[in-house]
Amino acid sequence: MPTESKHHHPRELPDPVICTVDVVLLTLVENALQVVLARRAQEPFRGLAALPGGYIHPATDRDARDAAERVLREKTGLQSPYLEQLGVFSGPGRDPRGWSVSVAWYALVPWEALESRWTDHLEVTSTSQVRGLPFDHERIVHEALDRVRSKSSYSSLPVHLCRESFTLPQLQAVYEATLGETINKVSFRRKMEELGFVEPIPGATTGGAHRPAQLYRLRDEFRRNLSLTDRGINSGG
Amino acid sequence: MPTESKHHHPRELPDPVICTVDVVLLTLVENALQVVLARRAQEPFRGLAALPGGYIHPATDRDARDAAERVLREKTGLQSPYLEQLGVFSGPGRDPRGWSVSVAWYALVPWEALESRWTDHLEVTSTSQVRGLPFDHERIVHEALDRVRSKSSYSSLPVHLCRESFTLPQLQAVYEATLGETINKVSFRRKMEELGFVEPIPGATTGGAHRPAQLYRLRDEFRRNLSLTDRGINSGG
DNA sequence: CGAATAGTGTCTGTAAGACAGTATCTG
DNA sequence: CAGATACTGTCTTACAGACACTATTCG
């Protein structure tokens, strides 16, 4: 990858670049998408709520994904949520410490996974009103939301916001929350059948008032890989 | 983004990370997708054909995209091809110099844009037989191909492999090349009408034998932004 | 039985693919 | 006019959305 044309001398390395990871951790509270923020323990922006992030540690991280998983673990205790790379945000101005590269990731977890390990340096904000974030974190959040919305329209992505077991009406509500629009019930169920990433849990149904609903679970093959369709789950992608 | 918990002392920075960009430059020769490789002028892997790449230069690059554009300019003379971020490839093993982060990009250009500035340190390889690339460049190429194929099925992406003016049958052939499958002619023309990213050039048609074809051009609004459809241009996404 | 939620049957409109037709050039 | 390529009209099929119907619980 290097290209400089100094001949015969040991070549100069360019100035070092600050290498970090940032994670947009999304969850659903009462069918509204929320971002999880962590109060910063260090400068810069100490005390401010920001995306969970940190330096890449070449000594211990196996790659950038590993760094993102470590950061998530350190700040939220989450072990292995659904995690996907969003992209790189870079430049001299985004971090006051200097020219930086941040590998941004987004993660989806059911609220219940967070609730148990909650600590007071964490907070949740509705995605519709994230404001005042340091660095370029607001831009990162918005790009993550765009990505999640777009992927939700043709994949099993939103299922990772659901608990271990869920009903189809619940899953539909989750899709509607991430897509920001209502979905036709019949079409939705047809699509879920076609995509085949959920399976009914034999004999398990919801209790409570009204007709009980069949409980479903994510099929194992789709824990790490999404199920995709080209024709779209809703009308407008 | 940093998280270490040293109190009151200036915190230790982690070891530096090698920061580079790599570009998967794609073009079409006789309706077959080709990758453009550059022979490496420097160690490691001096003399081997590899993806055009190089260090990020914090002193002069405004961001990673700027670095990728510079690298492309330096190695191929290309000024501003269609260029999109693919993602980050990282880890201790991919570069013999040490723990590295490469921001990978893919670019699409018409063959004619390259032909003129060709130099002997460049070579083209059919995407179906890229082999023996250093680093993890083979993986990067394959991910770029997946991405291009997938985006081609619902966007105007492939048009960037066409020259300034082109006919609809030519454009269809380009789509078929990137998708690797034939497309129904009527459906294709309906889709192009619907997507609306091309416009007929008034009065311009092809010469030569047979019925002349209407020449089209990319509409200005879609030079930097793709035109998207949710329903797919071909059958299988 | 009524309210409420879960789940299905079926009709209709829309959009994609197949196929065959018409159009326009060269030699 | 034959051959070749560009373009279009139209039929058929598949799928998405609308809507109404049935099913099953609780009180």
Side-chain angles (χ1 to χ4, degrees):
Chain A
M1 298 102 159
T3 348
E4 296 75 11
S5 43
K6 308 261 156 64
H7 10 226
H8 305 301
H9 307 95
R11 288 177 316 104
E12 300 166 19
L13 289 178
D15 298 333
V17 169
I18 298 165
C19 275
T20 62
V21 291
D22 286 301
V23 183
V24 181
L25 176 58
L26 298 172
T27 191
L28 219 44
V29 177
E30 280 152 22
N31 285 333
L33 255 194
Q34 311 281 330
V35 201
V36 178
L37 303 175
R39 207 173 319 281
R40 292 181 57 79
Q42 303 291 344
E43 295 297 342
F45 303 116
R46 179 179 209 137
L48 274 193
L51 293 178
Y55 285 116
I56 289 176
H57 292 171
T60 53
D61 296 331
R62 282 166 311 173
D63 53 21
R65 163 180 293 271
D66 202 40
E69 283 177 3
R70 174 180 51 75
V71 159
L72 261 186
R73 214 178 321 116
E74 287 169 358
K75 307 225 173 175
T76 67
L78 286 169
Q79 277 303 328
S80 62
Y82 184 84
L83 182 71
E84 208 170 310
Q85 194 184 117
L86 178 62
V88 156
F89 297 79
S90 58
R94 54 177 303 281
D95 187 317
R97 288 165 292 185
W99 217 103
S100 66
V101 156
S102 166
V103 189
W105 303 75
Y106 63 94
L108 272 57
V109 289
W111 171 242
E112 289 74 17
L114 286 166
E115 215 175 10
S116 49
R117 341 173 183 271
W118 201 250
T119 68
D120 62 353
H121 71 270
L122 294 178
E123 58 182 70
V124 284
T125 316
S126 167
T127 51
S128 50
Q129 39 194 315
V130 273
R131 250 181 296 280
L133 298 191
F135 308 102
D136 52 358
H137 285 188
E138 230 156 285
R139 179 169 169 224
I140 297 178
V141 169
H142 288 301
E143 289 204 15
L145 290 172
D146 284 350
R147 179 81 137 260
V148 166
R149 250 190 293 276
S150 135
K151 277 216 150 177
S152 296
S153 72
Y154 63 90
S155 83
S156 55
L157 184 64
V159 79
H160 298 286
L161 294 167
C162 287
R163 285 173 299 184
E164 190 70 23
S165 71
F166 48 86
T167 69
L168 286 189
Q170 281 166 3
L171 183 59
Q172 178 169 354
V174 170
Y175 267 89
E176 289 174 339
T178 60
L179 292 170
E181 62 181 295
T182 61
I183 311 177
N184 180 280
K185 181 171 47 158
V186 181
S187 304
F188 179 77
R189 296 172 88 99
R190 269 194 296 238
K191 275 293 172 194
M192 291 306 107
E193 174 80 14
E194 178 197 323
L195 281 164
F197 62 87
V198 293
E199 59 188 1
I201 306 173
T205 54
T206 49
H210 319 309
R211 174 174 178 176
Q214 174 66 50
L215 284 170
Y216 286 78
R217 66 179 161 223
L218 181 61
R219 302 183 65 169
D220 263 357
E221 310 89 285
F222 299 101
R223 287 220 164 269
R224 296 275 142 213
N225 303 307
L226 299 180
S227 173
L228 305 173
T229 172
D230 46 312
R231 326 236 346 156
I233 283 152
N234 58 333
S235 43
Chain B
M1 298 101 158
T3 348
E4 294 76 12
S5 43
K6 307 263 155 65
H7 10 224
H8 306 299
H9 309 94
R11 286 180 314 105
E12 300 165 20
L13 289 177
D15 297 333
V17 169
I18 298 166
C19 275
T20 62
V21 291
D22 285 301
V23 182
V24 181
L25 177 57
L26 297 172
T27 191
L28 218 46
V29 178
E30 280 153 21
N31 286 333
L33 254 194
Q34 311 280 331
V35 202
V36 178
L37 303 175
R39 207 172 320 280
R40 292 181 58 78
Q42 303 291 341
E43 295 297 340
F45 303 115
R46 179 181 208 135
L48 273 194
L51 293 179
Y55 284 116
I56 289 176
H57 292 170
T60 51
D61 295 333
R62 283 166 311 173
D63 53 21
R65 164 179 293 272
D66 202 41
E69 283 177 3
R70 174 180 51 75
V71 159
L72 261 185
R73 214 179 321 115
E74 288 169 358
K75 307 225 171 172
T76 67
L78 285 170
Q79 277 303 327
S80 61
Y82 183 83
L83 181 71
E84 208 170 310
Q85 195 185 115
L86 178 61
V88 155
F89 297 79
S90 57
R94 54 177 302 282
D95 187 317
R97 289 166 292 185
W99 216 104
S100 66
V101 156
S102 167
V103 189
W105 302 76
Y106 62 94
L108 273 58
V109 290
W111 170 244
E112 289 74 16
L114 286 166
E115 214 173 12
S116 48
R117 341 173 184 270
W118 201 250
T119 69
D120 63 352
H121 69 271
L122 294 179
E123 58 183 69
V124 284
T125 316
S126 168
T127 51
S128 50
Q129 40 194 313
V130 273
R131 250 180 296 279
L133 297 191
F135 308 102
D136 52 358
H137 285 188
E138 230 155 287
R139 180 169 168 222
I140 297 179
V141 169
H142 288 301
E143 289 205 15
L145 290 172
D146 284 350
R147 179 83 136 258
V148 166
R149 251 190 293 276
S150 136
K151 278 216 150 178
S152 296
S153 72
Y154 63 91
S155 82
S156 54
L157 185 64
V159 79
H160 298 287
L161 294 167
C162 287
R163 284 173 299 183
E164 191 69 23
S165 71
F166 48 86
T167 69
L168 286 189
Q170 281 165 2
L171 183 58
Q172 177 169 354
V174 170
Y175 267 89
E176 289 175 340
T178 60
L179 292 170
E181 62 182 294
T182 61
I183 310 177
N184 180 280
K185 182 171 45 160
V186 180
S187 304
F188 179 76
R189 296 171 89 99
R190 270 196 295 240
K191 273 293 172 196
M192 291 305 107
E193 174 80 14
E194 177 198 323
L195 281 164
F197 62 87
V198 294
E199 59 188 1
I201 305 173
T205 54
T206 49
H210 320 308
R211 175 173 176 177
Q214 174 66 50
L215 284 170
Y216 287 78
R217 65 178 161 226
L218 181 61
R219 301 184 65 173
D220 264 356
E221 310 88 285
F222 299 101
R223 286 218 166 271
R224 296 277 142 211
N225 303 306
L226 299 179
S227 173
L228 305 173
T229 172
D230 46 312
R231 320 219 15 136
I233 283 152
N234 58 334
S235 43

mmCIF file of all heavy atoms in Angstrom, chain B residues 178-204:
data_model
loop_
_atom_site.group_PDB
_atom_site.id
_atom_site.type_symbol
_atom_site.label_atom_id
_atom_site.label_comp_id
_atom_site.label_asym_id
_atom_site.label_seq_id
_atom_site.Cartn_x
_atom_site.Cartn_y
_atom_site.Cartn_z
ATOM 1 N N THR B 178 -22.370 -7.087 -14.973
ATOM 2 C CA THR B 178 -22.130 -6.963 -13.532
ATOM 3 C C THR B 178 -22.989 -7.942 -12.741
ATOM 4 O O THR B 178 -22.569 -8.437 -11.703
ATOM 5 C CB THR B 178 -22.392 -5.530 -13.025
ATOM 6 O OG1 THR B 178 -23.744 -5.181 -13.297
ATOM 7 C CG2 THR B 178 -21.488 -4.533 -13.712
ATOM 8 N N LEU B 179 -24.196 -8.222 -13.255
ATOM 9 C CA LEU B 179 -25.071 -9.129 -12.525
ATOM 10 C C LEU B 179 -24.761 -10.591 -12.823
ATOM 11 O O LEU B 179 -25.117 -11.473 -12.039
ATOM 12 C CB LEU B 179 -26.535 -8.839 -12.863
ATOM 13 C CG LEU B 179 -27.080 -7.500 -12.365
ATOM 14 C CD1 LEU B 179 -28.449 -7.215 -12.965
ATOM 15 C CD2 LEU B 179 -27.148 -7.504 -10.846
ATOM 16 N N GLY B 180 -24.136 -10.831 -13.972
ATOM 17 C CA GLY B 180 -23.825 -12.203 -14.338
ATOM 18 C C GLY B 180 -25.045 -12.994 -14.761
ATOM 19 O O GLY B 180 -25.085 -14.219 -14.600
ATOM 20 N N GLU B 181 -26.048 -12.333 -15.297
ATOM 21 C CA GLU B 181 -27.230 -13.042 -15.779
ATOM 22 C C GLU B 181 -27.941 -12.165 -16.805
ATOM 23 O O GLU B 181 -27.742 -10.960 -16.838
ATOM 24 C CB GLU B 181 -28.189 -13.351 -14.625
ATOM 25 C CG GLU B 181 -28.720 -12.095 -13.950
ATOM 26 C CD GLU B 181 -29.629 -12.406 -12.764
ATOM 27 O OE1 GLU B 181 -30.708 -12.961 -12.993
ATOM 28 O OE2 GLU B 181 -29.253 -12.083 -11.625
ATOM 29 N N THR B 182 -28.742 -12.783 -17.632
ATOM 30 C CA THR B 182 -29.436 -11.999 -18.650
ATOM 31 C C THR B 182 -30.681 -11.350 -18.049
ATOM 32 O O THR B 182 -31.205 -11.806 -17.040
ATOM 33 C CB THR B 182 -29.851 -12.877 -19.836
ATOM 34 O OG1 THR B 182 -30.739 -13.884 -19.356
ATOM 35 C CG2 THR B 182 -28.645 -13.521 -20.481
ATOM 36 N N ILE B 183 -31.102 -10.253 -18.662
ATOM 37 C CA ILE B 183 -32.265 -9.511 -18.170
ATOM 38 C C ILE B 183 -33.279 -9.418 -19.302
ATOM 39 O O ILE B 183 -32.908 -9.294 -20.471
ATOM 40 C CB ILE B 183 -31.861 -8.086 -17.745
ATOM 41 C CG1 ILE B 183 -30.638 -8.118 -16.821
ATOM 42 C CG2 ILE B 183 -33.006 -7.373 -17.063
ATOM 43 C CD1 ILE B 183 -30.149 -6.748 -16.417
ATOM 44 N N ASN B 184 -34.529 -9.468 -18.932
ATOM 45 C CA ASN B 184 -35.605 -9.303 -19.908
ATOM 46 C C ASN B 184 -35.565 -7.895 -20.490
ATOM 47 O O ASN B 184 -35.553 -6.911 -19.752
ATOM 48 C CB ASN B 184 -36.938 -9.567 -19.211
ATOM 49 C CG ASN B 184 -38.112 -9.412 -20.156
ATOM 50 O OD1 ASN B 184 -38.532 -8.290 -20.417
ATOM 51 N ND2 ASN B 184 -38.613 -10.504 -20.662
ATOM 52 N N LYS B 185 -35.584 -7.807 -21.815
ATOM 53 C CA LYS B 185 -35.419 -6.509 -22.458
ATOM 54 C C LYS B 185 -36.531 -5.523 -22.100
ATOM 55 O O LYS B 185 -36.275 -4.369 -21.749
ATOM 56 C CB LYS B 185 -35.346 -6.684 -23.977
ATOM 57 C CG LYS B 185 -35.128 -5.393 -24.719
ATOM 58 C CD LYS B 185 -34.844 -5.576 -26.211
ATOM 59 C CE LYS B 185 -35.780 -6.565 -26.878
ATOM 60 N NZ LYS B 185 -35.822 -6.385 -28.348
ATOM 61 N N VAL B 186 -37.774 -5.991 -22.196
ATOM 62 C CA VAL B 186 -38.904 -5.099 -21.924
ATOM 63 C C VAL B 186 -38.853 -4.589 -20.481
ATOM 64 O O VAL B 186 -39.009 -3.402 -20.218
ATOM 65 C CB VAL B 186 -40.243 -5.813 -22.204
ATOM 66 C CG1 VAL B 186 -41.407 -4.887 -21.928
ATOM 67 C CG2 VAL B 186 -40.276 -6.323 -23.627
ATOM 68 N N SER B 187 -38.618 -5.521 -19.531
ATOM 69 C CA SER B 187 -38.559 -5.142 -18.124
ATOM 70 C C SER B 187 -37.434 -4.145 -17.888
ATOM 71 O O SER B 187 -37.602 -3.158 -17.161
ATOM 72 C CB SER B 187 -38.324 -6.364 -17.246
ATOM 73 O OG SER B 187 -39.307 -7.328 -17.482
ATOM 74 N N PHE B 188 -36.291 -4.424 -18.519
ATOM 75 C CA PHE B 188 -35.147 -3.549 -18.319
ATOM 76 C C PHE B 188 -35.470 -2.127 -18.754
ATOM 77 O O PHE B 188 -35.210 -1.163 -18.022
ATOM 78 C CB PHE B 188 -33.930 -4.065 -19.096
ATOM 79 C CG PHE B 188 -32.715 -3.190 -18.950
ATOM 80 C CD1 PHE B 188 -31.968 -3.231 -17.786
ATOM 81 C CD2 PHE B 188 -32.345 -2.321 -19.961
ATOM 82 C CE1 PHE B 188 -30.847 -2.421 -17.641
ATOM 83 C CE2 PHE B 188 -31.235 -1.505 -19.819
ATOM 84 C CZ PHE B 188 -30.486 -1.555 -18.665
ATOM 85 N N ARG B 189 -36.082 -1.998 -19.910
ATOM 86 C CA ARG B 189 -36.384 -0.650 -20.408
ATOM 87 C C ARG B 189 -37.437 0.019 -19.538
ATOM 88 O O ARG B 189 -37.366 1.230 -19.280
ATOM 89 C CB ARG B 189 -36.806 -0.732 -21.861
ATOM 90 C CG ARG B 189 -35.676 -1.249 -22.744
ATOM 91 C CD ARG B 189 -36.143 -1.530 -24.151
ATOM 92 N NE ARG B 189 -36.017 -0.349 -24.986
ATOM 93 C CZ ARG B 189 -35.006 -0.140 -25.826
ATOM 94 N NH1 ARG B 189 -34.022 -1.025 -25.906
ATOM 95 N NH2 ARG B 189 -34.954 0.940 -26.550
ATOM 96 N N ARG B 190 -38.403 -0.761 -19.071
ATOM 97 C CA ARG B 190 -39.388 -0.197 -18.136
ATOM 98 C C ARG B 190 -38.687 0.348 -16.894
ATOM 99 O O ARG B 190 -38.984 1.439 -16.414
ATOM 100 C CB ARG B 190 -40.399 -1.282 -17.739
ATOM 101 C CG ARG B 190 -41.621 -1.365 -18.633
ATOM 102 C CD ARG B 190 -42.739 -2.170 -17.984
ATOM 103 N NE ARG B 190 -42.409 -3.571 -17.796
ATOM 104 C CZ ARG B 190 -43.070 -4.598 -18.324
ATOM 105 N NH1 ARG B 190 -44.115 -4.372 -19.113
ATOM 106 N NH2 ARG B 190 -42.726 -5.834 -18.088
ATOM 107 N N LYS B 191 -37.732 -0.453 -16.358
ATOM 108 C CA LYS B 191 -37.012 -0.045 -15.139
ATOM 109 C C LYS B 191 -36.209 1.231 -15.359
ATOM 110 O O LYS B 191 -36.170 2.118 -14.510
ATOM 111 C CB LYS B 191 -36.075 -1.170 -14.693
ATOM 112 C CG LYS B 191 -36.734 -2.200 -13.805
ATOM 113 C CD LYS B 191 -37.121 -1.603 -12.473
ATOM 114 C CE LYS B 191 -37.954 -2.577 -11.664
ATOM 115 N NZ LYS B 191 -38.647 -1.916 -10.550
ATOM 116 N N MET B 192 -35.531 1.301 -16.477
ATOM 117 C CA MET B 192 -34.713 2.490 -16.750
ATOM 118 C C MET B 192 -35.612 3.731 -16.820
ATOM 119 O O MET B 192 -35.264 4.792 -16.319
ATOM 120 C CB MET B 192 -33.937 2.319 -18.061
ATOM 121 C CG MET B 192 -32.843 1.269 -18.018
ATOM 122 S SD MET B 192 -31.633 1.508 -16.665
ATOM 123 C CE MET B 192 -32.087 0.190 -15.534
ATOM 124 N N GLU B 193 -36.773 3.542 -17.442
ATOM 125 C CA GLU B 193 -37.757 4.629 -17.504
ATOM 126 C C GLU B 193 -38.145 5.058 -16.085
ATOM 127 O O GLU B 193 -38.123 6.237 -15.735
ATOM 128 C CB GLU B 193 -38.993 4.140 -18.271
ATOM 129 C CG GLU B 193 -40.168 5.101 -18.299
ATOM 130 C CD GLU B 193 -39.979 6.191 -19.345
ATOM 131 O OE1 GLU B 193 -39.078 6.036 -20.223
ATOM 132 O OE2 GLU B 193 -40.703 7.181 -19.281
ATOM 133 N N GLU B 194 -38.446 4.049 -15.256
ATOM 134 C CA GLU B 194 -38.901 4.302 -13.882
ATOM 135 C C GLU B 194 -37.797 4.953 -13.038
ATOM 136 O O GLU B 194 -38.050 5.918 -12.304
ATOM 137 C CB GLU B 194 -39.335 2.971 -13.261
ATOM 138 C CG GLU B 194 -39.773 3.040 -11.809
ATOM 139 C CD GLU B 194 -39.755 1.652 -11.166
ATOM 140 O OE1 GLU B 194 -40.099 0.672 -11.865
ATOM 141 O OE2 GLU B 194 -39.372 1.548 -9.976
ATOM 142 N N LEU B 195 -36.571 4.432 -13.141
ATOM 143 C CA LEU B 195 -35.468 4.973 -12.338
ATOM 144 C C LEU B 195 -35.103 6.381 -12.784
ATOM 145 O O LEU B 195 -34.691 7.208 -11.982
ATOM 146 C CB LEU B 195 -34.246 4.052 -12.429
ATOM 147 C CG LEU B 195 -34.310 2.808 -11.548
ATOM 148 C CD1 LEU B 195 -33.284 1.778 -11.980
ATOM 149 C CD2 LEU B 195 -34.074 3.198 -10.097
ATOM 150 N N GLY B 196 -35.214 6.617 -14.072
ATOM 151 C CA GLY B 196 -35.061 7.975 -14.582
ATOM 152 C C GLY B 196 -33.682 8.586 -14.431
ATOM 153 O O GLY B 196 -33.556 9.801 -14.373
ATOM 154 N N PHE B 197 -32.634 7.781 -14.372
ATOM 155 C CA PHE B 197 -31.306 8.385 -14.216
ATOM 156 C C PHE B 197 -30.630 8.635 -15.559
ATOM 157 O O PHE B 197 -29.586 9.260 -15.605
ATOM 158 C CB PHE B 197 -30.413 7.543 -13.300
ATOM 159 C CG PHE B 197 -30.115 6.159 -13.792
ATOM 160 C CD1 PHE B 197 -29.047 5.929 -14.644
ATOM 161 C CD2 PHE B 197 -30.888 5.074 -13.387
ATOM 162 C CE1 PHE B 197 -28.761 4.652 -15.086
ATOM 163 C CE2 PHE B 197 -30.609 3.797 -13.827
ATOM 164 C CZ PHE B 197 -29.554 3.585 -14.686
ATOM 165 N N VAL B 198 -31.218 8.150 -16.641
ATOM 166 C CA VAL B 198 -30.674 8.458 -17.971
ATOM 167 C C VAL B 198 -31.674 9.275 -18.772
ATOM 168 O O VAL B 198 -32.882 9.202 -18.540
ATOM 169 C CB VAL B 198 -30.315 7.178 -18.766
ATOM 170 C CG1 VAL B 198 -29.181 6.448 -18.108
ATOM 171 C CG2 VAL B 198 -31.523 6.286 -18.942
ATOM 172 N N GLU B 199 -31.136 10.067 -19.694
ATOM 173 C CA GLU B 199 -32.012 10.841 -20.565
ATOM 174 C C GLU B 199 -31.511 10.713 -21.991
ATOM 175 O O GLU B 199 -30.299 10.627 -22.220
ATOM 176 C CB GLU B 199 -32.036 12.312 -20.144
ATOM 177 C CG GLU B 199 -30.670 12.976 -20.175
ATOM 178 C CD GLU B 199 -30.679 14.375 -19.583
ATOM 179 O OE1 GLU B 199 -31.732 14.833 -19.129
ATOM 180 O OE2 GLU B 199 -29.599 15.006 -19.589
ATOM 181 N N PRO B 200 -32.431 10.666 -22.962
ATOM 182 C CA PRO B 200 -32.002 10.587 -24.360
ATOM 183 C C PRO B 200 -31.288 11.874 -24.748
ATOM 184 O O PRO B 200 -31.643 12.958 -24.281
ATOM 185 C CB PRO B 200 -33.311 10.428 -25.139
ATOM 186 C CG PRO B 200 -34.390 10.869 -24.211
ATOM 187 C CD PRO B 200 -33.890 10.645 -22.820
ATOM 188 N N ILE B 201 -30.241 11.746 -25.557
ATOM 189 C CA ILE B 201 -29.558 12.927 -26.075
ATOM 190 C C ILE B 201 -30.306 13.329 -27.355
ATOM 191 O O ILE B 201 -30.348 12.550 -28.302
ATOM 192 C CB ILE B 201 -28.089 12.599 -26.394
ATOM 193 C CG1 ILE B 201 -27.410 12.015 -25.150
ATOM 194 C CG2 ILE B 201 -27.357 13.839 -26.886
ATOM 195 C CD1 ILE B 201 -26.003 11.510 -25.399
ATOM 196 N N PRO B 202 -30.917 14.517 -27.346
ATOM 197 C CA PRO B 202 -31.791 14.876 -28.473
ATOM 198 C C PRO B 202 -31.072 14.749 -29.809
ATOM 199 O O PRO B 202 -29.978 15.270 -29.997
ATOM 200 C CB PRO B 202 -32.154 16.336 -28.186
ATOM 201 C CG PRO B 202 -31.933 16.511 -26.725
ATOM 202 C CD PRO B 202 -30.801 15.604 -26.375
ATOM 203 N N GLY B 203 -31.675 14.015 -30.698
ATOM 204 C CA GLY B 203 -31.162 13.911 -32.054
ATOM 205 C C GLY B 203 -29.993 12.963 -32.242
ATOM 206 O O GLY B 203 -29.619 12.664 -33.367
ATOM 207 N N ALA B 204 -29.396 12.480 -31.129
ATOM 208 C CA ALA B 204 -28.199 11.654 -31.263
ATOM 209 C C ALA B 204 -28.550 10.171 -31.343
ATOM 210 O O ALA B 204 -29.241 9.634 -30.480
ATOM 211 C CB ALA B 204 -27.267 11.893 -30.073
#
